Amino acid sequence: MADVVTMDKIVALCKRRGFLFQSSEIYGGLGSAYDYGHYGVLLKTNVKNEWWRAMIGERDDIVALDSAIILHPKVWEASGHLAGFSDPLVQCLGKCKRRWRADHLREAQPEGELKCPECGGDLTEPRHFNLMFRTHVGPVEDEGSEVFLRPETAQGIFLNFKNALQTARKKPPFGIAQVGKSFRNEITPGNFIFRTREFEQMEMEFFVPPDQAQQWYEFWRGARRDWYEQLGIRPDHLRLREHDPDELSHYSSGTADVEYLFPMGWSELEGVANRGDFDLKQHAEHSGEKLEYVDSATGDRYVPHVIEPAAGADRAMLAFMVDAYDEETVEGRERVLLRLHPRLAPVKVAVLPLVNKDGQPELARRIYEELRELMPAEFDTGGSIGKRYRRQDEIGTPWGVTVDHQTLEDETVTLRDRDTLDQSRIAITELSAELRRRLHADWRSPKLGA
Ligand code: GAP
């Protein structure tokens, strides 16, 4: 099946249907910052909930955390971010004066002296630019009050290793999971919500006995790739790419990216890293606290190694939308639809009276009020039935319930399937059970032909 999606189409759909808006739009917009509208909030919340389900709901060796965004400044000294969390910045000396990341330019211009991709001008020597946002706590803006907005959620987890160990009654292998905002002063944000300066991460640090690190690294690489596939992404649009040694972050002895085939090409969705004992040792050294596991039965003590699956909630949401986007012509009419996995869809069922009279809206409203107790539902009476279906298709609502004149006679409704357009009649009394069954059934996109 040919791919019709482009990033421009996704951006237009997001604006048209209220998933995402340019931030501060009435002031002319703030570059690469976005506000989530109603359906965007619902979709991203579902992505995060599915991540929590995989981490906490389906396992009993991971606990949850929500740490502060502003941490003690020494954290970033210990983690290596103050010294090393930087990108090589070059600036055009020609006409356009634009700034670029030298490493990105090198990928596109593998040979010779780098040139400005905009105007062909010469470039400055690379200068290292720290990506952390600085601010101050308290009224005095001196060096002693300087703090940073966290550039990753992971460090808050390491700081709570001891707390979790003491209170959660876990022993390695066990994990701590966290979802929250991170901030990076990216030199080249772009591709819509793929790279922004303020974004949400879903990170889990899995603490393991040192001799089990490789085995758990391999486990989480596979598990995290499978998560995207189970939520509907086509398998041939996903791949695992192992980092070359010169690409590895300062803390990592092995990293694999789960990559997705975005419209701009294969790009990172999530990183799975073997961080070894780097973080716990660094924080132990800088804080003076012992961060190790002591086996009370044997007296054995060791610093656990850490395997970290680190995903972006916004980036995952973008991938799910891109993969679900489709266009087709049905009986001479074009429709755009999001073939989202039902568990991700912002709205699961729309209840639509065929006409706005003869008692249909009142009955439809009663059915809607019953269904919304079970799952996110919408009641829509505005416009022709075709227009209402198109609206629901574009926000990815998997099922539509139509109330018509026959409903008033025999208490049945029409149940429409977003993907197959199959319409079947079903008794109102069976509707809840049928929708619940569908929501929990295995689901594959019809795009896969399965
Ligand atoms: N703790 C490890 C860590 O932060 P990372 O690869 O820098 O690793 C993890 O980030 C994930 O966070 C990325 O795979 C991506 O999904 C998301 N992410 C990182 N920077 C981002 C940005 N500027 N905008 C949106 N998402 C971003």
Side-chain angles (χ1 to χ4, degrees):
M1 166 152 203
D3 241 335
V4 291
V5 68
T6 63
M7 201 63 99
D8 284 347
K9 288 181 185 175
I10 294 289
V11 174
L13 171 66
C14 282
K15 185 169 169 125
R16 186 164 72 242
R17 294 301 178 194
F19 283 85
L20 285 152
F21 307 106
Q22 173 74 63
S23 181
S24 316
E25 207 169 10
I26 61 170
Y27 287 100
L30 176 68
S32 301
Y34 296 92
D35 297 341
Y36 282 71
H38 182 67
Y39 295 121
V41 171
L42 297 184
L43 177 54
K44 190 159 72 150
T45 302
N46 291 345
V47 170
K48 291 185 281 182
N49 285 345
E50 287 302 320
W51 187 87
W52 279 121
R53 182 211 296 273
M55 292 295 159
I56 306 279
E58 294 169 358
R59 306 182 63 92
D60 48 22
D61 53 2
I62 299 178
V63 296
L65 176 76
D66 186 1
S67 76
I69 286 177
I70 296 174
L71 304 173
H72 195 292
K74 275 192 153 180
V75 170
W76 309 110
E77 233 176 274
S79 69
H81 282 82
L82 260 184
F85 193 58
S86 57
D87 281 337
L89 171 74
V90 288
Q91 186 168 13
C92 174
L93 294 166
K95 257 197 233 131
C96 77
K97 307 280 183 260
R98 279 188 63 174
R99 295 191 171 92
W100 305 94
R101 267 180 66 170
D103 52 339
H104 286 177
L105 293 188
R106 185 47 84 201
E107 281 166 24
Q109 305 172 32
E111 305 281 319
E113 197 184 336
L114 291 175
K115 293 286 178 194
C116 174
E118 183 79 7
C119 69
D122 289 338
L123 298 166
T124 58
E125 284 298 309
R127 178 166 69 81
H128 278 271
F129 169 77
N130 196 294
L131 300 183
M132 285 197 294
F133 278 101
R134 284 159 207 263
T135 186
H136 295 267
V137 284
V140 183
E141 294 196 3
D142 62 13
E143 234 179 60
S145 68
E146 188 175 70
V147 290
F148 302 89
L149 302 188
R150 67 180 175 198
E152 61 172 16
T153 60
Q155 296 305 322
I157 296 179
F158 298 124
L159 304 188
N160 281 282
F161 166 75
K162 215 171 151 184
N163 291 335
L165 205 58
Q166 283 165 355
T167 58
R169 294 181 298 122
K170 301 279 181 216
K171 58 184 252 189
F174 83 100
I176 305 177
Q178 163 151 253
V179 173
K181 286 251 174 165
S182 292
F183 302 82
R184 296 180 190 178
N185 199 0
E186 299 279 4
I187 299 169
T188 49
N191 284 314
F192 198 30
I193 53 169
F194 178 83
R195 183 173 286 109
T196 50
R197 297 194 171 100
E198 174 182 344
F199 53 97
E200 263 188 291
Q201 288 190 306
M202 309 184 287
E203 297 198 286
M204 195 273 291
E205 309 300 320
F206 203 66
F207 300 92
V208 302
D211 61 350
Q212 294 179 20
Q214 185 59 22
Q215 134 199 1
W216 281 108
Y217 173 58
E218 283 163 25
F219 170 83
W220 282 111
R221 278 173 20 142
R224 292 308 305 151
R225 185 202 168 283
D226 292 350
W227 183 78
Y228 294 96
E229 195 179 321
Q230 283 153 10
L231 287 171
I233 292 199
R234 283 166 274 182
D236 58 338
H237 286 184
L238 284 170
R239 72 178 187 194
L240 273 172
R241 189 183 67 80
E242 198 71 38
H243 280 206
D244 292 332
D246 63 349
E247 266 182 281
L248 293 175
S249 311
H250 58 279
Y251 51 74
S252 172
S253 58
T255 296
D257 285 345
V258 181
E259 293 189 333
Y260 175 69
L261 188 53
F262 282 98
M264 67 279 188
W266 286 104
S267 312
E268 175 186 341
L269 253 187
E270 164 160 359
V272 181
N274 181 350
R275 298 179 74 119
D277 57 8
F278 176 83
D279 304 275
L280 290 182
K281 277 203 166 146
Q282 284 293 106
H283 287 303
E285 194 182 311
H286 283 73
S287 68
E289 282 282 339
K290 275 203 172 116
L291 298 176
E292 56 186 18
Y293 172 70
V294 185
D295 190 320
S296 53
T298 62
D300 280 354
R301 55 178 65 223
Y302 61 86
V303 178
H305 283 213
V306 173
I307 309 303
E308 173 198 67
D314 315 82
R315 206 176 274 190
M317 170 174 142
L318 181 63
F320 286 123
M321 287 188 93
V322 165
D323 217 67
Y325 183 94
D326 203 3
E327 293 168 358
E328 60 180 18
T329 308
V330 183
E331 293 167 3
R333 300 184 75 160
E334 287 241 331
R335 70 168 185 149
V336 168
L337 69 158
L338 291 183
R339 298 185 191 274
L340 286 171
H341 191 296
R343 288 214 307 266
L344 292 180
V347 176
K348 314 299 180 199
V349 58
V351 184
L352 318 168
L354 190 63
V355 291
N356 225 344
K357 56 182 186 185
D358 303 334
Q360 287 184 28
E362 292 76 12
L363 179 55
R365 172 107 207 155
R366 281 207 298 280
I367 295 172
Y368 155 72
E369 283 175 5
E370 208 177 299
L371 289 178
R372 75 175 177 193
E373 302 269 316
L374 294 179
M375 56 186 72
E378 250 184 29
F379 175 62
D380 190 359
T381 55
S384 71
I385 191 77
K387 202 170 152 205
R388 283 179 276 162
Y389 276 145
R390 275 202 298 285
R391 193 175 153 270
Q392 294 298 335
D393 286 343
E394 287 201 4
I395 63 167
T397 306
W399 304 296
V401 168
T402 316
V403 170
D404 55 19
H405 64 278
Q406 197 182 327
T407 313
L408 301 168
E409 288 162 16
D410 65 4
E411 302 205 330
T412 64
V413 289
T414 305
L415 182 54
R416 173 192 186 262
D417 183 281
R418 174 197 68 202
D419 296 321
T420 61
L421 291 176
D422 175 59
Q423 304 214 18
S424 50
R425 284 218 79 94
I426 178 169
I428 295 172
T429 49
E430 288 167 21
L431 196 54
S432 302
E434 174 60 17
L435 287 174
R436 220 181 351 216
R437 186 192 66 71
R438 291 188 186 195
L439 187 59
H440 297 293
D442 280 347
W443 183 89
R444 292 306 308 152
S445 161
K447 282 185 175 182
L448 297 171

